[in-house]
Amino acid sequence: MKPERSRAKPATILDVASEAGVSRQTVTRAMNNMSGINPATKQRVLEVARALKYRPSRFARGLVVPHPLTMGLLLDDMTNPFYSELAASVVSSAAESGWNVIFADTAHGVAGPRPILESLAMQVDAVIGYLRVGPDELDEIFGDLPVVVLEKAPEPGDRSVITFDFEPGLRSGIAHLLDAGRRHIAMLDAGSGHEPSDRGELFEKIMVERGLEPIRIAGGPTIADGVGVMRRLLESRPEVDAVIAFNDLVAMGAMKELHRVGVEIPGRCAVLGIDGLSIGEIVTPELSSLALDLRAVGRLAVELAVGMHAGELPMTGPEVQRTVSHTLLLRATA
C-alpha cells in the first residue's frame, strides 16, 4: 500500500529555469505560448516543466487582475444529459465556494485521455471527473494537485473517489416490479461486448437470489442503442413484461421501440431507467428510474477538492472516499 501523499513543496519557475538552462523570462514565454522564443528552447522548457510537475502560479498569471481558483471538470461526453446535469451541479457548488470551473471532454480526444489530462493539469488548481488512468499515471500527471475521481470503487493508494452504488436502487426496482406482478424482467445492458457491466452483474445476482431467470441483453448507452436492443429483445423474448435499462437514454430508446410496435407502457411492459435525469419528465409517459442525486455528487466532489486544496483533507485514504447510492424514483412507466 502506498504511503499517504504529503503536500510536498511544488516546483517553482526558478527550478524550471535552472534545470532548462534559461532565464525566468524565457520560462514565462514558453509556458504562456508567447512569441520571441526559439521553438527548440520552448520544447525543452516545456519538457522540463512537465518532468518537474511545474504549474505556473495562478497569481503570477493574473498580476493585473486577480485570478480566482479554478477547478477542472473532466467528463466523458457533454452531449449526454447525465454529464450536463452533473456539470451544472459541480458549477453551482464550486461557485458557492468562490471557484471557477473549466470543462474537458474525453469523448472527442483522438489521442486518448492523457494529453487532455496534461493540458488540464497546467490550467487548474484541482480536478474532478472521470479520470480513466491508473494511480501511478495520476501521480505523474497531477503531482500534488487535488484530484477527485468519479464512479470508481476505492482501492488502496487511490486518490479521492466518489463511488456510485447501484445495488440499493436495483434491489428496490426489482422488488417493486415483482410486487406489481412482473415475472419476466430483462436488463438492457451496455457492457463491453457480451460481458455484463457492473450494473448487469448486479441485476443477474439479484434475480438469481429471487429464484428468477436473469434475462440480460447487451447493447450500448445511447437512445439508438436502446431502440435496437429492445427490438432484439422483443424478437427473442416476447414474454418480457418489464425492462431495466442501463441508463435513462437506453430506456427512452426502448420506449420508442415499444411505442412503434404498439406495446402499452406500463400495462404490457414496464420500463425503468437508471440515472433519474430531468429529461425523463418530458417523455410520454414520464420515465421511472433508479435515480442518482447528482446535486449531492457535485456538492461532495467540490467539498473534497476544496478541502484537499486547503490542506484540511488528505489526498488519499478513507477520509476522502464517499459513496452515493441510487434510489427508486417512480413516475409513470413503472
Side-chain angles (χ1 to χ4, degrees):
M1 181 174 176
K2 291 183 180 180
E4 183 172 290
R5 295 174 183 80
S6 61
R7 292 187 64 84
K9 182 178 179 182
T12 68
I13 191 171
L14 296 178
D15 295 327
V16 177
S18 175
E19 185 72 20
V22 298
S23 68
R24 175 175 177 164
Q25 289 77 13
T26 299
V27 175
T28 298
R29 288 183 177 279
M31 299 302 297
N32 290 283
N33 199 28
M34 298 168 66
S35 60
I37 180 173
N38 181 279
T41 301
K42 177 182 177 181
Q43 181 64 27
R44 184 170 77 253
V45 170
L46 293 177
E47 288 175 356
V48 168
R50 187 176 299 112
L52 295 178
K53 299 183 177 66
Y54 168 69
R55 296 183 302 112
S57 163
R58 301 201 66 78
F59 174 72
R61 284 191 279 168
L63 289 173
V64 178
V65 179
H67 203 300
L69 293 169
T70 299
M71 196 169 291
L73 179 59
L74 187 76
L75 300 173
D76 280 347
D77 184 0
M78 283 295 288
T79 64
N80 184 326
F82 173 86
Y83 297 112
S84 301
E85 290 195 20
L86 176 58
S89 172
V90 170
V91 168
S92 176
S93 295
E96 291 175 2
S97 297
W99 286 58
N100 286 339
V101 177
I102 62 173
F103 302 97
D105 182 332
T106 60
H108 308 102
V110 295
R114 177 146 186 159
I116 298 172
L117 298 182
E118 290 177 339
S119 174
L120 194 64
M122 301 296 292
Q123 304 175 61
V124 299
D125 303 286
V127 176
I128 294 170
Y130 288 78
L131 306 167
R132 303 192 189 282
V133 296
D136 290 339
E137 271 195 284
L138 283 180
D139 290 348
E140 184 180 341
I141 295 168
F142 294 112
D144 69 345
L145 201 68
V147 173
V148 181
V149 182
L150 299 178
E151 199 169 348
K152 181 185 183 302
E155 298 176 8
D158 267 351
R159 296 273 184 147
S160 173
V161 299
I162 297 180
T163 301
F164 297 169
D165 184 3
F166 296 91
E167 187 162 356
L170 276 169
R171 288 192 179 278
S172 296
I174 290 171
H176 171 76
L177 293 173
L178 293 175
D179 289 344
R182 314 288 176 171
R183 290 297 178 267
H184 305 288
I185 305 170
M187 173 79 178
L188 310 182
D189 202 6
S192 175
H194 289 284
E195 290 297 315
S197 67
D198 291 345
R199 308 172 201 194
E201 286 185 356
L202 275 172
F203 168 80
E204 291 181 346
K205 170 189 169 185
I206 296 166
M207 291 293 286
V208 169
E209 288 175 359
R210 290 277 192 163
L212 296 170
E213 179 188 5
I215 305 168
R216 189 188 65 83
I217 183 166
T222 69
I223 291 177
D225 293 323
V227 171
V229 75
M230 191 71 229
R231 184 171 302 164
R232 288 191 284 119
L233 179 63
L234 290 173
E235 291 170 353
S236 62
R237 302 297 296 262
E239 74 276 17
V240 163
D241 55 10
V243 295
I244 300 175
F246 178 82
N247 61 24
D248 284 355
L249 296 185
V250 173
M252 291 174 196
M255 290 172 62
K256 183 176 180 180
E257 177 62 14
L258 290 169
H259 284 310
R260 186 186 73 83
V261 298
V263 173
E264 183 186 0
I265 306 170
R268 170 64 182 82
C269 185
V271 178
L272 272 177
I274 297 179
D275 288 337
L277 301 179
S278 57
I279 193 175
E281 296 177 325
I282 63 175
V283 297
T284 304
E286 291 187 5
L287 178 63
S288 297
S289 188
L290 310 179
L292 184 68
D293 187 346
L294 291 176
R295 287 173 294 183
V297 173
R299 183 179 66 254
L300 286 172
V302 170
E303 287 175 357
L304 289 169
V306 172
M308 288 186 288
H309 182 270
E312 297 168 354
L313 292 172
M315 294 291 195
T316 65
E319 195 174 347
V320 287
Q321 295 169 358
R322 302 287 187 273
T323 298
V324 182
S325 298
H326 291 68
T327 58
L328 179 59
L329 172 62
L330 289 177
R331 292 180 180 136
T333 61

